[in-house]
Amino acid sequence: MNAIYPGTFDPVTNGHVDIAERSAKIFNQLIIAVIKSPNKKTLFNCDERIEMITKSINHIKNVKVMKYSGLTVNFAKKTNSEVIVRGLRITSDFEYESEMALVNRRMEKSIETVCLFSSLENQILSSSRVKEIASLGANISTLVPKNVCIPLLTKLKNHDYK
Ligand code: COA
């Protein structure tokens, strides 16, 4: 069975890598699906987000990274993936994720959503928090993969991140 793990990944965090590693053990093939134009404004463009996540998961054999736009269920179908993987962190994620799963299921019955509970150390981790912490000069080395630290600090230096 194949799965996609969709998201914005602006930037990828240790929480995303943890979900990718664990999903890769469950599914034959996992595609990390990086949305090109999410509803939110991104700090990194799509190619930059893809480059960072590709380097972060290159130790996992059955995972690849692809860019997509449009509906997530359509991308799942196009890539012959039967499952959408999402990570569930604190309880507030549940409402957002369950609504998204229901909408996706209404649009495409053949695709199931599987949520994995985030590991304890990643429960309060998000890309926005990482950007905020980095922009305020704190150490992010335990929150993101090694290869993300320099691009993130460099980007923030050249941006007025709010
Ligand atoms: N560890 C750490 N952080 C995590 C995490 C984990 N395991 N899982 C999620 N997060 C964080 C992300 O960093 C992100 O943080 P941010 O809001 O600070 O940027 C946040 O949770 C949201 O997660 P993300 O995985 O980036 O998803 P998203 O909400 O940006 O992406 C899409 C949602 C793209 C999958 C969804 O909008 C979508 O499917 N869009 C396409 C259109 C469509 O099909 N719509 C119908 C579905 S309703």
Side-chain angles (χ1 to χ4, degrees), residues 5-11 13-19 33 35 37-40 68-74 84 86-89 93 96-97 99-101 103-104 107 116-119 122-131:
Y5 176 27
T8 310
F9 306 108
D10 183 45
T13 68
N14 287 345
H16 296 128
V17 175
D18 171 55
I19 297 291
I35 192 153
S37 310
N39 291 329
K40 50 195 175 191
Y68 81 107
S69 50
L71 287 174
T72 299
V73 286
N74 287 350
I84 295 173
R86 297 284 293 168
L88 263 193
R89 295 165 300 165
D93 274 354
Y96 173 67
E97 294 300 337
E99 191 202 322
M100 200 151 70
V103 171
N104 283 333
M107 287 187 292
L116 297 189
F117 288 105
S118 291
S119 301
N122 302 322
Q123 285 283 323
I124 50 164
L125 189 54
S126 76
S127 299
S128 303
R129 281 281 168 265
V130 165
K131 285 178 281 195

Side-chain angles (χ1 to χ4, degrees), residues 84-118:
I84 295 173
V85 169
R86 297 284 293 168
L88 263 193
R89 295 165 300 165
I90 42 182
T91 46
S92 54
D93 274 354
F94 179 78
E95 210 176 317
Y96 173 67
E97 294 300 337
S98 56
E99 191 202 322
M100 200 151 70
L102 288 170
V103 171
N104 283 333
R105 194 158 155 69
R106 172 156 289 194
M107 287 187 292
E108 184 52 63
K109 275 206 164 52
S110 64
I111 312 273
E112 288 291 350
T113 297
V114 170
C115 291
L116 297 189
F117 288 105
S118 291

Side-chain angles (χ1 to χ4, degrees), residues 14-53:
N14 287 345
H16 296 128
V17 175
D18 171 55
I19 297 291
E21 285 172 346
R22 288 161 52 205
S23 312
K25 289 182 189 155
I26 301 172
F27 300 102
N28 297 328
Q29 181 192 247
L30 180 74
I31 297 173
I32 299 189
V34 181
I35 192 153
K36 195 170 172 214
S37 310
N39 291 329
K40 50 195 175 191
K41 203 174 168 295
T42 58
L43 180 64
F44 292 98
N45 69 36
C46 191
D47 290 336
E48 291 168 331
R49 285 180 277 133
I50 285 186
E51 192 184 335
M52 285 184 287
I53 201 162

